[in-house]
C-alpha cells in the first residue's frame, strides 16, 4: 500500500513541481490511479477534479482496473473543469456526456455526485458564479487532474487568462478549436465559447496533477514548468501552487532543461512521501 499523504506538504524539495518522467502514458496512468486509489481508501468521499481530453484517459483506464479489483469510488465527488457553451447536454461531445461516458460510468461514480459547469446559453450569465458557489459550499477539490493544451491552456483558460480568474465564460482560440475539431463532424461545429474553472479556481485545489504525453506537448510542458509565470501561458500557473505533480512520458520530456535532475529526485524520493 502507498504511504498515507500528509494533508499539507510542499512539492519535492520545495521545487516548482515534482516532475515524474515515465516510459509510457499507461505507466503514468497507473501511477496516478494508484495514488488516487490510496487516497480514496483512506477517505471514501474524496473529491476528484476531472478533466476531459485524451490526456487523462490512461488514468481513468487504470482507475477502472482498480475498481474491477475492488476499489469503491461510489462516494467520490467529482467536479469537471469546463464545458462548451450552447451544446445540448445530450450531445455526445458535451463535457456532460464525455464525463459520463469516460468517467462516471466506467468508474462507477454516483451521477448525483458528479458536477459539470452548466453550458446552457439561456442561463450562462450566472453559470460561473453558481459553479463557484457549489465548489465553495462543497469545500473544494482534493486532487485536480489537468491536461495542457498545445497553446498552454489549462481547463479552457486560454492564453491571456487572468491568473486570478474564477469560473466564467471564455472564447476558445482558433488553435483549441482546431485541436478539438477531431471530435466533431466538421471544424465549424466546435463551439466558439466555453465555461471553465478559472486559474484562481484551479489553484485552490489541494493537489494539482498535470499530465502531458507525446512529443507535441514537450515544448509547452517545459515552458509551463521551467519558463516564467505568465498569463500568456496559463499552464505556468502551477508554479504558484505548493503541491504539484507533473507526469510526462519520455516523448513529452525532451524539452526540459532539468530532466536529469527530475529523474534523480524521483529515484531518490523518500518512500513515505507519496505523490
Ligand atoms: P488533450 O487536450 O488531452 O486532448 O491533449 C488537453 C487540453 O486541451 O487541455
Amino acid at each position: 500500500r502507498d504511504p498515507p499523504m500528509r494533508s499539507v506538504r510542499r512539492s519535492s524539495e520545495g521545487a516548482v513541481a515534482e516532475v515524474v518522467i515515465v516510459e509510457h502514458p499507461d505507466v503514468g496512468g497507473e501511477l496516478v490511479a494508484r495514488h488516487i486509489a490510496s487516497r480514496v481508501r483512506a477517505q471514501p468521499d474524496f473529491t476528484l477534479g476531472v478533466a476531459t481530453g485524451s490526456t487523462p484517459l490512461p488514468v481513468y483506464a487504470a482507475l477502472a482496473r482498480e475498481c474491477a479489483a475492488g476499489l469503491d469510488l461510489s462516494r467520490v465527488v467529482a467536479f469537471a473543469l469546463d464545458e462548451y457553451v450552447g451544446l445540448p447536454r445530450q450531445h455526445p461531445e458535451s463535457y456532460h456526456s464525455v464525463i459520463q461516458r469516460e468517467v462516471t460510468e466506467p468508474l462507477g461514480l454516483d451521477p448525483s455526485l458528479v458536477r459539470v459547469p452548466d453550458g446552457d446559453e439561456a442561463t450562462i450569465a450566472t453559470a460561473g458564479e453558481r459553479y463557484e458557489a457549489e465548489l465553495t459550499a462543497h469545500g473544494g477539490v482534493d486532487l485536480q487532474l489537468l491536461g495542457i493544451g498545445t497553446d498552454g491552456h489549462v481547463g479552457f483558460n486560454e492564453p491571456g487568462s487572468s491568473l486570478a480568474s474564477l469560473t466564467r465564460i471564455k472564447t476558445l482560440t482558433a488553435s483549441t478549436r482546431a485541436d478539438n475539431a477531431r471530435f466533431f463532424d466538421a471544424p465549424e461545429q466546435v463551439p466558439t465559447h466555453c465555461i471553465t474553472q478559472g486559474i484562481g479556481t484551479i489553484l485552490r485545489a489541494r493537489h494539482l496533477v498535470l499530465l502531458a504525453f507525446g512529443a507535441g506537448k514537450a515544448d509547452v510542458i517545459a515552458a509551463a514548468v521551467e519558463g516564467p509565470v505568465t498569463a500568456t501561458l496559463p499552464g505556468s500557473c502551477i508554479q504558484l501552487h505548493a503541491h504539484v505533480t507533473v507526469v510526462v512520458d519520455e516523448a513529452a520530456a525532451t524539452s526540459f532543461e532539468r530532466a536529469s535532475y527530475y529523474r534523480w529526485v524521483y529515484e531518490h524520493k523518500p518512500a513515505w512521501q507519496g505523490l
Side-chain angles (χ1 to χ4, degrees):
R1 279 187 68 141
D2 293 335
M5 293 281 302
R6 288 189 286 152
S7 55
V8 177
R9 49 152 298 191
R10 299 176 310 164
S11 294
S12 179
E13 303 188 13
V16 156
E18 176 168 60
V19 180
V20 183
I21 302 170
V22 295
E23 260 169 54
H24 189 274
D26 290 346
V27 180
E30 293 280 349
L31 182 82
V32 175
R34 230 176 17 249
H35 172 71
I36 294 171
S38 77
R39 296 290 324 266
V40 172
R41 281 189 206 101
Q43 185 193 335
D45 61 350
F46 190 74
T47 301
L48 185 62
V50 291
T52 54
S54 314
T55 307
L57 295 179
V59 177
Y60 303 143
L63 268 177
R65 289 192 291 275
E66 294 271 358
C67 292
L71 178 69
D72 177 11
L73 298 177
S74 65
R75 290 178 58 200
V76 164
V77 177
F79 280 91
L81 283 169
D82 45 16
E83 174 59 292
Y84 291 115
V85 172
L87 276 193
R89 281 189 188 189
Q90 61 277 14
H91 187 288
E93 294 309 327
S94 81
Y95 286 174
H96 276 82
S97 295
V98 172
I99 292 288
Q100 189 181 338
R101 187 168 68 234
E102 293 175 349
V103 183
T104 310
E105 285 170 7
L107 302 187
L109 302 191
D110 175 348
S112 72
L113 300 179
V114 179
R115 299 276 181 271
V116 179
D118 180 4
D120 184 349
E121 267 173 324
T123 53
I124 197 66
T126 59
E129 268 172 61
R130 283 185 276 123
Y131 203 61
E132 287 291 327
E134 275 195 85
L135 273 162
T136 304
H138 176 69
V141 166
D142 290 311
L143 183 152
Q144 177 65 56
L145 294 169
L146 293 170
I148 186 164
T150 52
D151 66 359
H153 70 225
V154 282
F156 268 141
N157 293 283
E158 298 287 26
S161 292
S162 159
L163 297 177
S165 51
L166 301 179
T167 307
R168 72 221 182 285
I169 188 168
K170 286 293 289 181
T171 309
L172 297 173
T173 60
S175 118
T176 297
R177 293 186 71 232
D179 283 350
N180 288 6
R182 68 189 193 279
F183 299 114
F184 292 83
D185 293 335
E188 60 275 11
Q189 288 178 5
V190 184
T192 51
H193 290 83
C194 64
I195 173 167
T196 181
Q197 285 190 31
I199 295 176
T201 318
I202 291 169
L203 290 175
R204 291 203 308 264
R206 289 178 273 282
H207 180 192
L208 302 181
V209 176
L210 173 58
L211 307 147
F213 301 129
K217 298 287 173 75
D219 287 348
V220 78
I221 194 68
V225 174
E226 296 179 339
V229 176
T230 168
T232 298
L233 200 138
S236 66
C237 73
I238 60 165
Q239 298 180 43
L240 298 170
H241 195 287
H243 186 185
V244 183
T245 307
V246 174
V247 180
V248 294
D249 65 352
E250 292 287 351
T254 53
S255 297
F256 287 126
E257 276 181 26
R258 293 191 290 275
S260 58
Y261 179 65
Y262 303 144
R263 292 181 208 274
W264 172 259
V265 170
Y266 193 65
E267 278 164 24
H268 294 82
K269 187 178 169 63
W272 54 264
Q273 214 176 33
L275 266 194

